[in-house]
Amino acid sequence: MAASVSLGVGSLVWVEDTELAWLDGEVVEVNGDTIKVACTTGKTVVVKASGVYPKDAEAPPCGVDDMTKLAYLHEPGVLQNLKSRYDMNEIYTYTGSILIAVNPFTRLPHLYDNHMMAQYKGATFGELSPHPFAVADAAYRLMLNEKISQSILVSGESGAGKTESTKLLMRYLAYMGGRSAAEGSSQRTVEQQVLESNPVLEAFGNAKTVRNNNSSRFGKFVEIQFDQRGRISGAAIRTYLLERSRVCQVSDPERNYHCFYMICAAPAEDVQKFKLGNARTFHYLNQSNCYELEGVDESKEYIATRKAMDIVGISSDEQEGIFRVVAAILHLGNIEFKKGKETDSSEPKDEKSRFHLKTAAELFMCDEKALEDSLCKRIIVTRDETITKCLDPESAAVSRDALAKIVYSRLFDWLVDKINSSIGQDPDSKCLIGVLDIYGFESFKTNSIFFWCWPSHELAGEFSAYFEQFCINLTNEKLQQHFNQHVFKMEQEEYTREEIDWSYIDFVDNKDVLELIEKKPGGIIALLDEACMFPRSTHETFAQKLYQTFKNHKRFSKPKLSRTDFTICHYAGDVTYQTDLFLDKNKDYVVAEHQALLSASKCSFVAGLFPLLSEDSSKQSKFSSIGARFKQQLQALLETLSVTEPHYIRCVKPNNFLKPAIFENKNVLQQLRCGGVMEAIRISCAGYPTKKPFDEFVDRFGILAPEVLDGSSDEVAACKRLLEKVGLKGYQIGKTKVFLRAGQMADLDARRSEVLGRSASIIQRKVRSYLSRRSFISLRLSAIQLQAACRGQLVRKIYESMRREAAALRIQKDLRLFLARKAYKELCSSALCIQRGMRGLAARNELHFRRQTRAAIILQSQCRKYLARLQYMRLKKAAITTQCAWRGKVARKELRKLKMAAKETGALQAAKNKLEKQVEELTWRLQLEKRMRADVEEAKTQENAKLQSALQEMQLEFKETKELLMKERGAAKRAAEQIPVIQEVSVIDHAMVDKLAAENEKLKSLVSSLEKRIDETQKKYEETNKLSEERLKQALEADQKIVQLKTAMHRLEEKFSDVESENQILRQQGLLKTPVKRIADILSTPEKTPVLENGHHLSEENGANEPMSAMPIKEVETDSERKMKKSQQYDDIDALIKCVSKDIGFSQGKPVAAFTIYKCLLQWKSFEAERTSVFDRLIQMIGSAIENQDNNDHMAYWLSNTSTLLFLLQKSLTGTGAAGAPPRRKPPPTSLFGRMTMGFRSSPSSAQLAAPHLEVVRQVEAKYPALLFKQQLTAYVEKIYGIVRDNLKKELAPLLSLCIQAPRTSKGTALRSGRSFGKDSPSSHWQSIIECLNTLLCTLKENFAPPVLVEKIFTQTFSYINVQLFNSLLLRRECCTFSNGEYVKSGLAELELWCAQAKEEYAGSSWDELKHIRQAVGFLVIHQKYRISYDEITNDLCPILSVQQLYRICTLYWDSNYNTRSVSPDVISSMRVLMTEDSNNAVSSSFLLDENSSIPFSVDDLSNSLQEKDFTDVKPADELLENSAFQFLQE
């Protein structure tokens, strides 16, 4: 496969090695066709140039996720890429559409949780990291969109992880096609049964082998059917070639099937019931020294398997039968034989064998002697007689093992059929997805011959293949042919899609091998069936027949040292087969004695495993071949696969020690060859193995001809001119890629290396020149600095002497100044002291005179004040006496009127008491009636029960009598029929006839009496029912009367409360006209008469001039008036709903609708009402208003209104008995009249009398409807908040997927403008995000949404941005680059600028929510990552990121533009150690972030963000102000 390339000294190459498969090194010498290579391991080798492969020097150290992106697609490149990714815990890699899965041999739970499945749901194939979920999602999407069935083929050797990969695929398909919890709650869903079928089949079909603790010993194809909506509607499981020989033969250190060990570790009652014990005591299990698996509890596995059987649909009785059969097989294995009394006979060896024979017979529920005879004897049927033949002990043991194998095989087939019938298939399903988990194979090398073997034949000396391996290899040949055709088809489709000229590519076809094996007639299987039909055929004659038939076939050969073996050249190597047991294993028949014994079992389950065959079917199936049947199954499988779109997963086992972090190159390479991966690469190399997108091609090879990039932005034209410039031939230019032939990539790289070498020389010359010049400049600068230092020292000395001289002169001058100033200060102080004494004496004399004058004035003013006050008090006393006499006369007149009104109130109270007594009497009568009715009902029930029992007894007697009558009639009829037969007899028994006739008459009379009694019973029953119905009607009428009386009493109470309200108003009116303050105190009125500024009270004229609204209304309210007022109230509610349902805007920054609703509810006393419909109307209005959820402007308007109304309710409403609530003497009236009379207290006239002004927000004692309305309003606020937030997320989601990766730029643009994205402005995607944020912020501001809600919306949105960008960064390798980090960093800077402009009031802590992506991007843009220690990363650079996240970023990092390296291997090792220590914690192992969609605020947060004083200047709706009923809004 090596391409002939021009290699020079310094070229990097791969050379073949016997130990490590391939070694990388550097060419140090070229001698014609041979080259000398210095390998990185330290040794030097000389090889031919045709046997080496070029190495890509710019390949990422952590590999690529799709190996078709490799610059050199060859064996060492593929192997190195897998090894690099495996070292980084990246176990999945694509090769085009093929997924290669390397078994990590450790738990990686974070790769398979529900969050990871959600990430791959709907993602484009190849967009995220390679994963089985991506393959399953691609198949699921193709099935839905194209309506074509899909299939996923999982293959690999034993221990490579096929079973686990199959489980993951089925789990993801169940996740995508599963029903919701509501749909699947009533019964077990199909997807649950499909998933739980895995542990059941694993328990009975999997076993431990040398290289796998859970190896599948059968092939499995699961068909999952889907309906039109993509939901799982049915499933079917098909199995192939169970390894039956393992039941009886186990090699050390392997184990038998898991179910045997499970039942030995079952609960004590099950073990005792089946008479089991330790697994070491059974022959079928103790052939190996391995009884337990590390980390597996067999008792727990037994319970889990039983639970899985329940989910699958296997009943408890069937489970009992299954484990009964399994226990019987174990007991069969412990039956040993010895020679019998007769010649060549056998019998059980000892009492122990007898015990196990008896136990097996009990478990099979068959006869013990019959079981012994079926094991020790054979019955030969001839034409003339039946011959019984005894078997020797060895033959008896073989017969015993044959019985055990056929029973276990039938049990496994029954399990599969039961699972299929329980799950069920959908006949209407048009599409399905099939998952194929086919046999594992092993590769050995003995005498240069490869053997594919079952793991049970992995011991030394047992490397030759048997019949089972022959069938397995046939399967692999068939699937390899299917795989080659698919790969060839995909390669040609890509050429067609890219519209390039291509010719037919020849590939190795294994059709000749398939014809050699399965051709009919003349194939190996046909010859084997033919040999099995002849009783005298042996394996020697079969081998000679093969030698004669295929002696000239190129794929068939005869080993030199064997007379019965043969060798077939398969696509993966030569395999030698031993024919010793071919004939015996190919015969698929059941011993007749075994069939008869078990089909006659008393256990229905055991008998069902061996149904009786009809004579016709037994004659038609005299001979049945396993090989022929397996070939038919395989053909049916391939037909199914041919009508589906295939997807491939190749599982690879990195080492044979089943240990993590070990990668064996030769082992992996052999698996890649046997798995067909290398064949796919060979097919690709036959055409155009190197496929480079235009931008990558220009970036890599643009330096070969820089002139073709100047002034051109067309990458296609640039690629064409570049290839023409370098003179390359045979390439193709597609629509999106450049296609290169094998070897052309190496040629271009060689030329590129030359250009880079010349450029490096120029750079080195320039650098050396720069360093020399810098050294000269440094020396010159040093000399200049030395000279300056010397000159400075001389100048400093001269300056010091000059400074000392100036200091001496300054000291002398200051001393003389001090002495002169001291003499002057002494003289001045003496003069000031004399002046101060003279001025003080004059001031004291003036003060004494002023004090005497002030005392005289005070005495005069007090005397005049006393005389004036004495005169004023005399006048005031005379005036008050006159006023009291007049006001007393007026008050007595008003008191007489009030007493008359009180008498009328007493009459109403008496009527009320009388009605209450009537209600109590009726209530007592109702209770008495109820008790009587209950007694009648009980008596009726008892009577009905007696009548029913009597009726049943009569019916039974009638039925028995009728039967007796029918029997007598039948006997008479038979006797009559017999009479003609014995006509010759002349004697007739007339007595008997008369007796029978008499008995008939008695029976007829008894039947008629019974019928009469039945009719009477039915009449009594009907009368009783009528009586009970009449009493029930009477009780219902009494209930209705009680309800009417209660309603009337409630109305009277309302009237009484209205009268009390009127009396209260009359008292207030009387007090307003009464000027005496003492009377007001006696009547306990809280209002006080206002006092004028001059000290006088209000005069009588002021009270008479009050408006008419303060006068009392009529005492009695008619029904018509009440109805009219109730209708008016409904009209007011309708007017309010109609008004606020519109957009009526804002006032003083507050929503008018919310303020208007609150004022109306407060005025109508709705908060204090026990029952009202206004709250339901408001909630219904809000719900209908927010139906249009896509309009953010509309949502913001209602968010502002609902949150403001909720704030007002939170400040106003207090529950009953709440702390701080004012004490109330009686509940307020709930009637309309009562509320209107209470409203008079807040009328304009009474408001003039009240001292304090009412506030906008008042506290009221809320009833249940108001509290419920508050809860519903809170729910709507949270709902509208979530709608606005989710709308913003929907707008940002497509933009974020574009913002995570920097846009591609052409090489020419990069050369002209530089490669740093950080210096350029962010792309339009980031600007679109900023525009979305600004639009929503402006909308919320325009609608005056509360700042706390705005802050929470943007905080959660930025958290969503952080989660999406960070998760995408960890899932996409192309995003973890230096240039992409600069691009994302520039976008984050724009978001930071937006947060600063939006201010903290609205942005809040939004910027802090981006901490994960900020730290990750900050790590990506560091230049020298390899110098950073682990502590610096975790403590300084990325303290918020977990070890798993840091490890993921470090392993995914690559940089094709700047060639910067990731962190050092020591740091990676430290991270890996920490991850291994914490691997058992599934939560901490997850590296992806979860999105938080909760509601982050409470009602208290909303209340604290607003203030009551903000609503003092809010104006209500203008539309309502025009309505006279809403005039209270103007207050």
Side-chain angles (χ1 to χ4, degrees), residues 259-399:
C259 61
F260 294 114
Y261 304 91
M262 290 181 187
I263 197 172
C264 290
E269 57 271 16
D270 290 351
V271 173
Q272 186 176 3
K273 178 170 57 178
F274 298 133
K275 298 181 181 180
L276 297 173
N278 194 292
R280 292 175 172 82
T281 61
F282 293 100
H283 171 67
Y284 285 164
L285 305 183
N286 60 17
Q287 300 176 35
S288 169
N289 292 323
C290 180
Y291 299 98
E292 298 175 353
L293 295 178
E294 183 179 356
V296 177
D297 188 345
E298 299 294 349
S299 60
K300 293 181 180 179
E301 292 296 323
Y302 175 80
I303 297 173
T305 303
R306 295 291 291 256
K307 290 182 179 178
M309 287 180 173
D310 291 334
I311 296 177
V312 168
I314 301 176
S315 65
S316 57
D317 293 337
E318 292 171 337
Q319 294 179 30
E320 186 77 13
I322 291 171
F323 288 103
R324 175 185 292 274
V325 171
V326 173
I329 292 174
L330 289 178
H331 286 290
L332 272 180
N334 280 12
I335 301 174
E336 299 179 2
F337 300 95
K338 66 178 181 180
K339 290 184 178 180
K341 299 177 181 179
E342 301 178 4
T343 307
D344 292 336
S345 64
S346 60
E347 61 182 9
K349 183 177 180 182
D350 49 20
E351 290 299 325
K352 179 181 177 182
S353 299
R354 290 282 182 186
F355 168 76
H356 287 290
L357 176 65
K358 180 180 179 182
T359 305
E362 291 175 355
L363 293 174
F364 281 135
M365 289 189 181
C366 62
D367 183 65
E368 179 183 353
K369 182 61 178 175
L371 177 60
E372 180 182 352
D373 292 342
S374 66
L375 297 178
C376 301
K377 297 179 182 179
R378 283 289 176 270
I379 298 175
I380 302 175
V381 180
T382 63
R383 293 181 179 180
D384 300 330
E385 59 181 346
T386 301
I387 302 174
T388 301
K389 178 185 177 182
C390 296
L391 301 179
D392 57 11
E394 290 79 10
S395 300
V398 172
S399 177

Side-chain angles (χ1 to χ4, degrees), residues 394-429:
E394 290 79 10
S395 300
V398 172
S399 177
R400 175 202 64 193
D401 293 343
L403 177 60
K405 288 189 288 185
I406 191 62
V407 169
Y408 194 82
S409 176
R410 292 288 181 90
L411 175 62
F412 187 79
D413 293 340
W414 182 91
L415 277 173
V416 175
D417 294 338
K418 179 63 178 179
I419 292 173
N420 287 335
S421 62
S422 177
I423 296 175
Q425 299 187 33
D426 184 8
D428 299 328
S429 175

